[in-house]
Amino acid sequence: MGRGANHGGGDQKGYLMTSETWPADRRITIRDLQAATDRGERWSMLTSYDALTAGVFEQAGVAALLVGDTSAEMVLGYHDTLPVTMDQLISMVQAVVRGTRTALVVADLPFGSYQSGPHEALASAVRHLKEGGAQAVKLEGGRRVLPQVETLTGAGIPVMGHLGLTPQSVNVLGGVRRVQGRGDAGEELLADARALERAGAFALVLESVPAELARRVSAALRIPTVGIGAGPYCDAQIMVWQDMAGLTTGRLPRFVKRYADTRAVLLDAARQYVTEVAAHLYPDQSHSYT
Ligand code: KIV
């Protein structure tokens, strides 16, 4: 059942989402996120891969953190998301969990950890919850991964779906810059979204799809849609934090808004440090032990 009028546009109520909206003494749950969406309140996610940034984002009121397979690119320096392993992601999930008290932590299921079937998906998801301490997992795909989603939700593991641009399929999509879901593909995406909701997914990432399609999907589903390059009508938004904070360089996708120039700040700090070390200005007496 869709929420229709509660989606996007200037007549929305409850857009003011602050950290006061969320519990201060326990982790946010998927029920809290659904309740916020039911009230028409929009909420935010960011990716996070380490304890310190996780704590900062939680303090800022980010409701849920995704330990995404984008860590392959953002942390490990690969060119796409495919190489990151379960073991590597679990270390990052552990760090994000240690660095937070209230944020819901969603762990990505990396390429090769769920595609072969429900059994493999369950084993991987259980590791994310038992070893990593995550509260939910995310996987890419629609009807082709329904058996996996049903098995996980049946086992009590909250699942976030991911449709539109699914970077783990980079080799069939022909790149990760392409908008998905135009024309007839939009109907297929809508059918996938409905199927994921029926299978028990608690939320759905829509990546790089036309805004109008995201509006239709959001209106058709009760579970929250989480947009990234999907326009203004989704119930929640997610960004890769290095894009949001201006650490990444080069040609960025149209949807990326840089809220800071972290790269410039860091570069300046590191340059000053190098200069002061060379000039014998650091460490001075005030930074030395007596
Ligand atoms: O891995 C990731 O960071 C993601 C987001 C971009 C949605 O899947």
Side-chain angles (χ1 to χ4, degrees):
M1 204 193 30
R3 297 169 301 277
N6 266 349
H7 277 278
D11 58 347
Q12 282 249 341
K13 295 191 207 71
Y15 267 19
L16 192 63
M17 179 65 75
T18 71
S19 48
E20 285 151 38
T21 307
W22 307 111
D25 55 348
R26 62 165 174 82
R27 286 211 185 258
I28 292 164
T29 65
I30 60 170
R31 284 167 170 263
D32 293 319
L33 299 180
Q34 182 67 59
T37 295
D38 290 342
R39 292 192 301 268
E41 295 172 355
R42 297 181 72 186
W43 44 272
S44 304
M45 290 186 70
L46 280 174
T47 64
S48 184
Y49 319 104
D50 68 276
L52 283 184
T53 61
V56 171
F57 301 151
E58 175 179 88
Q59 197 180 343
V62 176
L65 297 170
L66 172 68
V67 186
D69 59 4
T70 43
S71 52
E73 298 157 295
M74 297 296 140
V75 178
L76 302 174
Y78 291 111
H79 287 300
D80 57 44
T81 62
L82 302 191
V84 71
T85 64
M86 275 299 298
D87 285 344
Q88 287 167 329
L89 271 176
I90 285 171
S91 295
M92 294 185 246
V93 172
Q94 290 169 338
V96 168
V97 169
R98 285 186 206 112
T100 52
R101 285 188 316 108
T102 60
L104 178 85
V105 179
V106 183
D108 232 350
L109 288 175
F111 181 62
S113 72
Y114 63 95
Q115 282 86 352
S116 77
H119 214 77
E120 185 188 38
L122 184 59
S124 303
V126 163
R127 286 195 68 196
H128 267 328
L129 269 64
K130 283 186 86 143
E131 295 175 44
Q135 290 82 55
V137 299
K138 177 173 83 58
L139 50 71
E140 295 183 4
R143 282 161 287 180
R144 67 186 157 90
V145 294
L146 280 198
Q148 284 89 327
V149 175
E150 279 162 0
T151 297
L152 298 188
T153 56
I157 300 173
V159 176
M160 178 174 271
H162 186 156
L163 293 175
L165 181 65
T166 47
Q168 290 178 12
S169 305
V170 56
N171 292 311
V172 287
L173 294 175
V176 290
R177 282 289 170 84
R178 291 168 184 234
V179 175
Q180 305 292 313
R182 286 194 171 125
D184 290 347
E187 298 308 317
E188 291 298 308
L189 191 145
L190 189 54
D192 277 337
R194 287 198 161 110
L196 286 168
E197 178 173 72
R198 272 198 305 274
F202 77 90
L204 176 59
V205 170
L206 293 175
E207 179 165 354
S208 295
V209 301
E212 176 55 21
L213 176 62
R215 190 194 61 72
R216 285 180 64 205
V217 174
S218 302
L221 303 187
R222 182 172 176 229
I223 59 170
T225 53
V226 185
I228 172 163
Y233 305 115
C234 290
D235 302 294
Q237 291 293 318
I238 182 164
M239 275 181 92
V240 171
W241 85 256
Q242 289 90 344
D243 286 342
M244 179 279 299
L247 198 57
T248 40
T249 52
R251 217 178 114 245
L252 294 168
R254 174 191 170 99
F255 67 82
V256 170
K257 179 168 178 183
R258 296 161 73 100
Y259 286 85
D261 194 350
T262 305
R263 187 177 177 82
V265 172
L266 210 48
L267 185 62
D268 190 46
R271 276 192 177 135
Q272 279 189 53
Y273 166 71
V274 169
T275 305
E276 291 200 1
V277 168
H280 298 253
L281 292 170
Y282 176 83
D284 57 9
Q285 282 306 320
S286 68
H287 294 95
S288 304
Y289 297 110
T290 51

